[in-house]
Amino acid sequence: WNNNPDPEISRHLFDACGAEPYHKAIPTCKTHLAILNGNSLGMFQLLSPGDGHGPMHVQVGGVWGGCTDAYAAFQEKWGDLLKTTLSDKEIEATGLDLRSFKNKWGETAQRQTMIEKAIMGEYFHIYRSFWRSHMCAVDNTPALLECPDNCDADSTPFEECACNVNKLTNGETDWENLFPCVLNSESNREYFNKTMPTELLKDLTTFLATSSVLEGEMIESASTADIVFWMIHPVIERLLVAKRLPTVTKMGSQEFNKWSVVDGSAETWLEYSYYNLEAGANSYHPEAYKCYGHASDDPVIPGDQSLPYTDAVTAIADADGDGVVTNWEFFLALDPNNMDGSDYVFDNFEWNHCD
């Protein structure tokens, strides 16, 4: 869904179509200490992708294109309303819980915060939701975001090679069918529906679905092409190694919790995917569906296992000799307390900058 034609790495720093994704805060020592303090492997798995490093992908990759002008036009039309503070009486009149609403969206200009936080800061998620629309559209129509198969990079203007929800433009679908793709959280949809005019929500969905978009590699599945990817991911691995070593108990001057069995071998793997489906839950894909690769017994590398491991990892991880290394086997094989496992070490676990 990214039709960025640049043959080199693109970075559009700290910008999502003209809005700074300020709530995607760069992780700090405090963030990483919270991950280390988690009381389970599942908590580590849950926190490390988002809080632990995800904002780096968003802030480095960025989103831009025709969506920048479209967002400016949206703000020109609706900015005065969005920047108006909702009074306590107005919030209570919607039936929403006052404290919960203000805790989430603030004391002033709450609707503007809602747009910046739930929409512009999540633009990259929304865009790929249009691509995977069978998971979010009311009628489960698949692939509503359509992209040209190919374009001549030298002669075709980007706007003529952009992805678009054409069915919204030609009337084959409507904004209400798409709205759950914009906000896949039911609670957020309730907040928006109860505090914003229908016309605003229609305009919002339309500009998101019909504006041209470019994304930097770091914000999508091509992120491994950017060298920054290889700088931030070892930071998370270092946290996991520290968690599993009995002699490492502090980040800087702050102690962190250890698992009851310190190497993690007694922990439970967290299987989580938004794309798993129960049978009959989706009209486009009525049979049960599992997003393969997330479970403890799924292979680390799908298919023919062609990416080689070190001999030591293969010998330890493929204990049953079936030729397949599962996620859980790989986790156990990379136990840093096992000198025969990984073929590299981290030079220290000091975090002096966190003192």
Side-chain angles (χ1 to χ4, degrees), residues 14 21-28 31 50-56 58-59:
F14 313 117
Y22 64 90
H23 74 287
K24 296 287 187 184
I26 301 298
T28 64
T31 311
D51 294 351
H53 84 286
M56 289 293 296
V58 177
Q59 301 288 11

Side-chain angles (χ1 to χ4, degrees), residues 1 15-17 19-25 49-51 54-55 58-59 62-63 67 71 104-105 113-130 180-185 188 192 204 207-208 213 215 219:
W1 54 84
D15 182 69
C17 303
E20 181 179 352
Y22 64 90
H23 74 287
K24 296 287 187 184
D51 294 351
V58 177
Q59 301 288 11
V63 186
C67 59
Y71 180 55
K104 186 162 189 174
W105 307 115
T113 300
M114 292 163 71
I115 293 293
E116 292 175 354
K117 187 174 181 179
I119 303 298
M120 303 310 294
E122 302 296 334
Y123 206 130
F124 66 106
H125 277 144
I126 294 168
Y127 205 60
R128 69 187 182 195
S129 291
F130 291 151
C181 299
V182 175
L183 290 165
N184 60 26
S185 162
N188 278 355
F192 275 67
L204 175 66
F207 108 69
L208 292 169
V213 166
E215 296 179 342
I219 209 169

Side-chain angles (χ1 to χ4, degrees), residues 287-351:
E287 62 269 29
Y289 175 77
K290 172 186 171 183
C291 189
Y292 199 56
H294 294 265
S296 61
D297 58 353
D298 285 344
V300 174
I301 303 169
D304 62 2
Q305 307 289 298
S306 59
L307 185 65
Y309 301 98
T310 63
D311 290 341
V313 168
T314 300
I316 298 169
D318 191 19
D320 57 8
D322 65 354
V324 175
V325 176
T326 67
N327 288 322
W328 183 246
E329 288 175 331
F330 190 63
F331 174 75
L332 295 179
L334 292 185
D335 177 2
N337 299 287
N338 184 350
M339 296 300 292
D340 295 324
S342 178
D343 61 349
Y344 60 91
V345 296
F346 289 94
D347 63 344
N348 69 72
F349 298 94
E350 294 177 358
W351 289 286

